[in-house]
């Protein structure tokens, strides 16, 4: 099938980009072949356990009712409760959720987090709604999901266009559904909450921080100096903006940034803190005074050493892979790279560090948040960050070893390790009855 190209100066719709679940399946199949997986286990993992769609009405500010479609896909829970983000996007669809949910299963397995994989969200463009409408949409969605989520069953978290406020609304709604006496025992129904409402210190920056730990480990392995190196970042939301700030602390120079509103570049460097303030005010990196506006096609060809995709899936196709001059692609986003593009990157000697390895900081600290909620504890920031760093480094070393021993790419190695753990568990437990 010919790959779609990105429209001039704009964004290709997700529908035109190809079926994300088929692409995810192709990636995972490669690792399944490598470990010679038991066909019984492969069969179970090939589809999610549950695919839930809810249609629900919400009263708008003008008094009219509007129907919304919400999703929750629960891929696998043999290692622990389903876990994964809630995304609000006008193009949200079931196949996208299935792919994202399955990646969560392998991500948790790879990092030895006792969670399964889930993902969900609402087909909605949040920019078209007031804060009050978003609150009612979130609360009604949570009520529609009812007991299909729960702190021991399925635990949502923030993702694209959702944040700690969204999670606090979900938690509060869920608390009001369970009996009065149980309210405070169910705080862990979601993670990524604000610290005041039971969240963990360090959760907001966790995913960007995890990305930066992987970059640091890679640089150490390659004897590469991060101080003064050039970085380009696509997506300046939670993941991209924290990755930018933390990389600049290591002396890296951010020379290009893009988001849904446009692309900017400055070979002298873009100050991520000032850019963050601009995005906070205007909603996009576009129009930032400290850089020049560039076209999307030119962004990928910028002179840089490291590229961090931190926007949506399937943004890195064949033309982008051909244009990239970097040494390393670190997938802050989930599924940003087409398999055909990855082949080109690897052929050019570029290391592609896969999403399930490097954007896992969020789920790791979500696990710490869930533990804190269970134990009614509040850990100090340094404690959380130390644990995160140890876990990321440990997994990095495990994957690096697997890559070397099996002479495979980083993505296949990361999946293979996760798959072996899942297979081991199925072998021990069997299936019911
Ligand atoms: P976010 O909503 O905070 O930011 C998304 C960013 O992507 C924004 O800057 C937006 O403008 C940009 N964007 C959206 N569509 C775009 C397009 N077509 N072209 C260019 N830029 C575009 O979301 P986030 O939480 O930072 O998530 C970003 C990615 O990271 C997603 O793939 C998400 O699944 C993944 N991820 C997030 C977390 C987390 O903890 N938030 C954890 C793991 C993975």
């Amino acid at each position: 099938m010919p790959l779609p190209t990105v429209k001039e100066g704009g964004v290709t719709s997700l529908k035109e980009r190809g079926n994300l679940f088929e692409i995810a399946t192709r990636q995972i199949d490669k690792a399944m072949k490598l470990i010679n997986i038991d066909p019984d286990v492969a069969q179970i993992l090939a589809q999610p356990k549950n695919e839930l769609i809810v249609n629900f009405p919400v009263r708008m500010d003008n008094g009219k009712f509007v129907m919304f479609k919400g999703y929750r896909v629960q891929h696998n829970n043999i290692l622990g409760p389903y876990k994964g983000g809630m995304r609000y996007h006008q193009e949200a669809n079931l196949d996208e959720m299935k792919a994202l949910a399955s990646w969560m299963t392998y991500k948790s397995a790879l990092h030895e987090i006792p969670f399964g994989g889930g993902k969900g969200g609402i087909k909605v463009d949040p920019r078209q709604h007031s804060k009050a409408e978003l609150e009612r949409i979130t609360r009604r969605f949570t009520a529609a999901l009812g007991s299909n989520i729960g702190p021991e069953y399925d635990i949502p978290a923030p993702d694209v266009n959702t944040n700690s406020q969204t999670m606090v609304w979900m938690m509060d709604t869920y608390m009001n559904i369970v009996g009065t006496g149980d309210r405070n025992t169910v705080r862990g129904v979601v993670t990524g909450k604000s610290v005041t409402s039971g969240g963990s210190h360090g959760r907001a920056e966790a995913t960007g921080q995890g990305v930066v730990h992987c970059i640091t480990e890679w640089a150490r392995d390659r004897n590469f100096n991060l101080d003064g190196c050039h970085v380009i970042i696509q997506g300046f939301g939670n993941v991209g903006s924290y990755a930018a700030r933390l990389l600049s602390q290591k002396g890296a120079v951010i020379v290009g940034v893009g988001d849904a509103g446009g692309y900017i570049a400055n070979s002298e460097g873009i100050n991520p803190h000032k850019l963050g303030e601009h995005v906070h005010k205007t909603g996009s990196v576009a129009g930032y005074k400290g850089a020049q506006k560039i076209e999307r096609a030119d962004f990928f060809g910028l002179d840089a050493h490291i590229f961090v995709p931190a926007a949506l899936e399937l943004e890195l196709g064949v033309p982008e892979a051909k244009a990239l001059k970097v040494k390393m692609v670190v997938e802050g986003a989930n599924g940003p790279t087409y398999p055909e593009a990855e082949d080109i990157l690897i052929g050019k000697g570029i290391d592609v560090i896969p999403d399930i390895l490097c954007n896992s900081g969020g789920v790791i600290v979500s696990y710490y948040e869930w533990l804190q909620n269970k134990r009614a504890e509040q850990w100090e920031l340094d404690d959380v960050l130390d644990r995160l760093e140890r876990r990321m480094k440990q997994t990095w070393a495990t994957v690096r070893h697997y890559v070397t021993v099996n002479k495979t790419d980083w993505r296949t190695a990361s999946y293979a390790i996760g798959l072996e753990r899942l297979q081991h568990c199925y072998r021990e437990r069997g299936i019911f009855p």
Side-chain angles (χ1 to χ4, degrees):
M1 185 182 80
L3 285 175
T5 50
V6 175
K7 280 178 194 154
E8 191 79 22
V11 164
T12 318
S13 89
L14 288 183
K15 251 186 254 149
E16 293 167 41
R17 294 185 198 191
N19 184 310
L20 195 65
F21 187 58
E22 280 171 17
I23 291 171
T25 303
R26 270 163 67 193
Q27 292 174 338
I28 293 154
D29 275 353
K30 195 172 164 194
M32 285 185 168
K33 283 200 187 87
L34 179 70
I35 68 160
N36 199 14
I37 198 164
D38 179 338
D40 286 341
V41 177
Q43 227 185 130
I44 294 172
L45 295 171
Q47 289 293 332
K49 282 182 116 174
N50 306 310
E51 301 169 24
L52 186 68
I53 297 183
V54 290
N55 294 299
F56 56 93
V58 180
R59 187 172 38 78
M60 297 292 102
D61 292 343
N62 64 8
K64 298 250 181 271
F65 296 170
V66 172
M67 290 300 293
F68 290 89
K69 192 179 282 297
Y71 303 87
R72 189 69 185 168
V73 171
Q74 297 164 334
H75 177 258
N76 191 277
N77 64 348
I78 193 158
L79 297 178
Y82 301 111
K83 182 86 189 87
M86 285 293 196
R87 169 176 295 200
Y88 290 2
H89 198 275
Q90 57 277 17
E91 292 187 31
N93 63 77
L94 187 61
D95 280 325
E96 176 196 32
M97 298 299 168
K98 283 166 67 174
L100 292 162
S102 74
W103 284 327
M104 288 306 296
T105 300
Y106 303 115
K107 197 183 291 185
S108 298
L110 169 63
H111 290 271
E112 294 191 288
I113 301 287
F115 282 148
K119 203 80 177 193
I122 305 176
K123 199 176 186 60
V124 60
D125 181 353
R127 291 168 303 186
Q128 308 303 324
H129 295 280
S130 67
K131 189 172 176 190
E133 286 179 349
L134 285 173
E135 175 172 356
R136 289 197 293 276
I137 292 168
T138 302
R139 287 185 180 277
R140 186 63 201 239
F141 175 46
T142 311
L145 290 174
S147 57
N148 289 293
I149 57 170
E152 303 298 332
Y153 182 60
D154 184 357
I155 308 151
D159 193 73
V160 173
N161 292 331
T162 58
N163 53 29
S164 58
Q165 175 65 79
T166 325
M167 293 305 113
V168 172
W169 287 331
M170 290 194 93
M171 178 195 77
D172 188 73
T173 308
Y174 189 83
M175 278 181 164
N176 279 288
I177 293 173
V178 298
T180 314
D182 289 330
R183 274 189 197 173
N184 278 306
T185 64
V186 296
R187 224 169 260 277
V189 62
V190 289
T191 59
K193 303 179 287 286
S194 65
V195 175
T196 40
S197 288
S200 176
H201 288 294
R203 175 60 183 87
E205 64 266 44
T207 307
Q209 179 67 78
V211 165
V212 175
H213 284 317
C214 286
I215 294 173
T216 311
E217 289 305 283
W218 174 87
R220 206 169 43 89
D221 291 348
R222 302 264 177 305
N223 220 0
F224 177 85
N225 190 0
L226 288 177
D227 192 6
C229 82
H230 285 187
V231 180
I232 54 175
I233 301 180
Q234 187 197 36
F236 205 75
N238 174 278
V239 181
S241 66
Y242 276 110
R245 288 187 192 111
L246 295 163
L247 278 169
S248 75
Q249 282 172 17
K250 295 195 173 286
V253 183
I254 316 298
V255 294
V257 181
D259 70 6
Y263 288 79
I264 56 169
N266 184 347
S267 57
E268 301 290 305
I270 297 168
N271 181 319
H273 300 278
K274 289 190 179 152
L275 181 61
E277 285 164 20
H278 173 82
V279 171
H280 187 68
K281 272 193 226 132
T282 66
S284 169
V285 301
Y288 176 62
K289 295 264 185 307
Q292 302 83 46
K293 176 182 186 291
I294 55 165
E295 294 304 317
R296 182 186 187 281
D298 298 325
F299 167 81
F300 292 94
L302 288 173
D303 277 320
H305 303 97
I306 297 170
F307 171 42
V308 184
L312 292 184
E313 53 266 17
L314 301 182
E315 280 288 326
L316 212 174
V318 169
E320 291 80 14
K322 284 185 178 160
L324 280 170
K325 296 178 187 155
V326 296
K327 293 180 183 302
M328 159 189 225
V329 173
V330 205
E331 294 183 339
N334 284 308
T337 314
Y338 280 97
E340 293 81 353
E342 184 163 6
D343 291 345
I344 293 174
L345 295 171
I346 292 172
K348 284 166 76 171
I350 298 172
D351 286 325
V352 182
I353 309 306
D355 41 16
I356 67 161
L357 170 57
C358 68
N359 74 18
S360 44
V363 71
I364 293 171
V365 175
S366 277
Y367 168 52
Y368 300 153
E369 178 175 335
W370 182 72
L371 283 180
Q372 290 170 72
N373 291 161
K374 258 177 164 336
R375 302 171 183 177
E377 287 178 358
Q378 181 81 77
W379 300 354
E380 287 174 12
L381 177 63
D382 284 353
D383 190 10
V384 173
L385 294 181
D386 285 352
R387 285 172 191 249
L388 172 63
E389 185 172 359
R390 276 203 303 277
R391 178 81 59 147
M392 293 299 304
K393 285 185 172 170
Q394 203 175 312
T395 310
W396 177 273
T398 308
V399 177
R400 183 186 50 204
H401 180 72
Y402 201 99
V403 165
T404 313
V405 171
N406 294 283
K407 297 186 174 45
T408 188
D409 58 90
W410 287 76
R411 189 182 314 280
T412 307
S414 300
Y415 279 130
I417 295 165
L419 280 167
E420 275 173 356
R421 289 183 179 145
L422 287 156
Q423 168 160 271
H424 189 79
C425 200
Y426 273 109
R427 282 201 177 132
E428 275 178 353
R429 284 175 58 171
I431 53 165
F432 173 84

